[in-house]
Amino acid sequence: MKYLYENAVDRDVINVVQFGLGPIGINTAKTAMTKDMVKMVGAVDIDPAIAGKDLSEVVGFSDNLGITVVDNIQKVFNETKVDVVLHTTSSFIADTFDQFRTIMEGGANVISSTEELLFPDLKNPEKAKELDAVARANNVTCLGTGVNPGFVMDTFVLCMTSMCNRVEHVYAEREVDAATRRGPLQKKVGAGLTVEEFRALRDAGKLGHIGMMESVAFVAKGLGWQLDNIEETLEPMVA
């Protein structure tokens, strides 16, 4: 297999590492490698069933890429220059903060699917300040983005309202059949649980589609609105 980046001008190539190789990470890596400005130079995952394998085996390519998945990104930094890390591990800043710090202190930019990172000030204001300070100190960036949150219910809304003289309200609705989605998402939204199990995990803050409140805060800031509060409800839908 010949990748487009092999024909790219060296000075324009972006050296990229994939950090996290679950379903989202695998698809992110595969997509990145179709871009003519991207050169995949490393991959990271702490799962012992994945670490040590060639990235080609993990993502399903027939050709050996010569990129061994490691369990610590510092191993990649020690061997090659990294421009951007595509980060797809956890929804919560509390779980990913140290990962972001290590990446940025290694001199690389972060693009992450961590939902809370879309608007980190909302639930993690102190950690947001720390991340900002680390990014500035190392002259790199730390971006939280994705399909949702990150585009369909926030960025897209701001793009569509940019042509309006005045916006009085915003209504966005998304309906998803979890039964057709990847396993980790089904687990995150509580598909298949009893009502009692669902409510117990909800009350412990371990369930739900993370990022909805961040999208609201993101849209409000983009529109220049000062919100009094943001309310979120979460109830099980029983078949």
Side-chain angles (χ1 to χ4, degrees):
M1 178 181 289
K2 188 173 182 63
Y3 300 102
L4 293 174
Y5 65 69
E6 293 178 350
N7 297 320
V9 179
D10 288 344
R11 62 182 175 84
D12 292 332
V13 169
I14 302 170
N15 286 354
V16 172
V17 170
Q18 177 61 48
F19 192 127
L21 285 164
I24 294 296
I26 288 173
N27 279 286
T28 300
K30 290 169 69 173
T31 300
M33 284 187 284
T34 67
K35 308 301 181 182
D36 59 2
M37 304 298 283
V38 168
K39 181 177 181 181
M40 192 65 64
V41 297
V44 182
D45 199 288
I46 62 172
D47 185 346
I50 295 177
K53 292 184 176 180
D54 189 87
L55 181 59
S56 58
E57 181 181 354
V58 179
V59 302
F61 287 165
S62 57
D63 292 352
N64 190 299
L65 296 171
I67 299 173
T68 301
V69 180
V70 297
D71 59 4
N72 189 320
I73 195 167
Q74 193 59 52
K75 296 178 181 178
V76 183
F77 287 144
N78 291 341
E79 295 181 0
T80 188
K81 179 183 183 296
V82 179
D83 298 311
V84 176
V85 173
L86 303 177
H87 176 279
T88 55
T89 64
S90 171
S91 299
F92 305 102
I93 288 179
D95 298 333
T96 55
F97 179 82
D98 289 339
Q99 296 170 1
F100 296 148
R101 176 185 287 277
T102 299
I103 292 167
M104 291 190 289
E105 289 180 343
N109 299 276
V110 179
I111 301 176
S112 177
S113 65
T114 295
E115 290 94 322
E116 288 187 346
L117 190 62
L118 176 77
F119 201 93
D121 286 351
L122 183 64
K123 298 175 184 174
N124 303 272
E126 293 306 315
K127 287 193 179 332
K129 290 179 183 178
E130 290 185 60
L131 289 175
D132 183 66
V134 174
R136 291 177 185 275
N138 293 278
N139 195 32
V140 294
T141 57
C142 185
L143 173 68
T145 188
V147 174
N148 185 43
F151 182 67
V152 294
M153 298 183 76
D154 35 64
T155 304
F156 181 66
V157 170
L158 292 177
C159 289
M160 294 300 291
T161 56
S162 64
M163 64 194 77
C164 301
N165 289 327
R166 185 180 69 211
V167 179
E168 297 183 352
H169 73 274
V170 172
Y171 178 84
E173 180 177 332
R174 183 184 185 211
E175 184 174 314
V176 178
D177 180 1
T180 65
R181 302 299 300 276
R182 63 191 185 279
L185 183 139
Q186 292 182 13
K187 182 178 179 180
K188 185 161 60 176
V189 300
L193 299 179
T194 66
V195 172
E196 292 74 19
E197 291 170 334
F198 183 97
R199 288 175 174 160
L201 288 172
R202 176 198 62 188
D203 294 343
K206 298 181 178 179
L207 199 69
H209 187 94
I210 313 303
M212 301 293 283
M213 297 179 74
E214 282 75 12
S215 287
V216 173
F218 184 89
V219 170
K221 186 173 180 64
L223 293 174
W225 291 353
Q226 183 67 45
L227 301 181
D228 295 325
N229 65 296
I230 301 174
E231 296 180 6
E232 182 179 48
T233 59
L234 179 61
E235 296 296 336
M237 297 292 291
V238 182

